[in-house]
Amino acid sequence: FTDVSYATPQDMKKVFGKIAYLLEGVKDISSLRPYPATVITEDEVFEGRFLFGAITNATSVGGLMRLKEDTVILDDGKFEMLLIPTPTNPLELQALIRSLLLQDYSSGVIFRHVSKVTVKSPEAFPWTLDGEYGSGAEEVEICNLRQKLHMLL
């Protein structure tokens, strides 16, 4: 799903709005594959095979993933990290789907507020940066530098 935001045709976005992203994402389901990764935060380490990962400070990612507005605080120095592990049985798949549909991230997915994340994989994995394609990488470090940008309005 990493290319959905920039692969969705502009004319489709104009006609269908956010639903255009969903329609484009559905086309990618057959090519969906997990990536082995180690995800290191300031407090925890997660190892496994992941179908999707997002490190964001927004309530919506590519029109596909929505986070509850009271979950995201834009100036707290934290990112919202959502990891979707590859389900290994029907019960895990059911919990995953339930979590995503109900935005209840207590089971099926990994959801944390983090200020620093390092993702390592034995193979380059695709990613996007604010909706733009980022070439594959085997290691990515993302840090939230709270209040490092000063603006005069």
Side-chain angles (χ1 to χ4, degrees):
F1 294 106
T2 58
D3 64 345
V4 168
S5 60
Y6 55 84
T8 304
Q10 194 64 34
D11 57 338
M12 228 173 116
K13 292 178 198 176
K14 288 179 184 175
V15 173
F16 296 108
K18 291 182 178 183
I19 292 177
Y21 295 110
L22 182 60
L23 296 172
E24 189 68 27
V26 168
K27 289 178 10 185
D28 281 350
I29 286 179
S30 64
S31 65
L32 191 63
R33 76 176 194 86
Y35 285 87
T38 300
V39 180
I40 305 161
T41 73
E42 60 268 28
D43 298 319
E44 298 176 273
V45 176
F46 303 96
E47 291 190 66
R49 298 177 63 76
F50 299 95
L51 290 173
F52 179 80
I55 300 158
T56 184
N57 196 214
T59 57
S60 176
V61 176
L64 293 175
M65 183 186 85
R66 301 210 43 89
L67 298 174
K68 292 180 181 177
E69 301 224 357
D70 61 349
T71 306
V72 179
I73 300 171
L74 298 177
D75 63 352
D76 65 352
K78 302 279 186 177
F79 289 116
E80 285 62 48
M81 178 183 79
L82 180 73
L83 301 173
I84 300 178
T86 305
T88 59
N89 60 56
L91 289 176
E92 287 182 6
L93 177 60
Q94 181 181 5
L96 172 69
I97 292 169
R98 181 186 179 285
S99 290
L100 294 172
L101 289 176
L102 299 178
Q103 296 179 4
D104 172 14
Y105 305 125
S106 58
S107 67
V109 300
I110 298 165
F111 180 77
R112 302 288 190 275
H113 297 280
V114 298
S115 57
K116 181 179 178 182
V117 181
T118 302
V119 181
K120 298 179 181 182
S121 179
E123 58 183 288
F125 53 92
W127 57 283
T128 65
L129 177 61
D130 196 23
E132 299 299 321
Y133 177 73
S135 60
E138 293 174 0
E139 184 171 335
V140 174
E141 182 177 278
I142 302 168
C143 299
N144 189 317
L145 304 175
R146 186 173 189 218
Q147 299 179 351
K148 291 294 179 182
L149 180 63
H150 300 279
M151 298 175 63
L152 296 175
L153 299 177

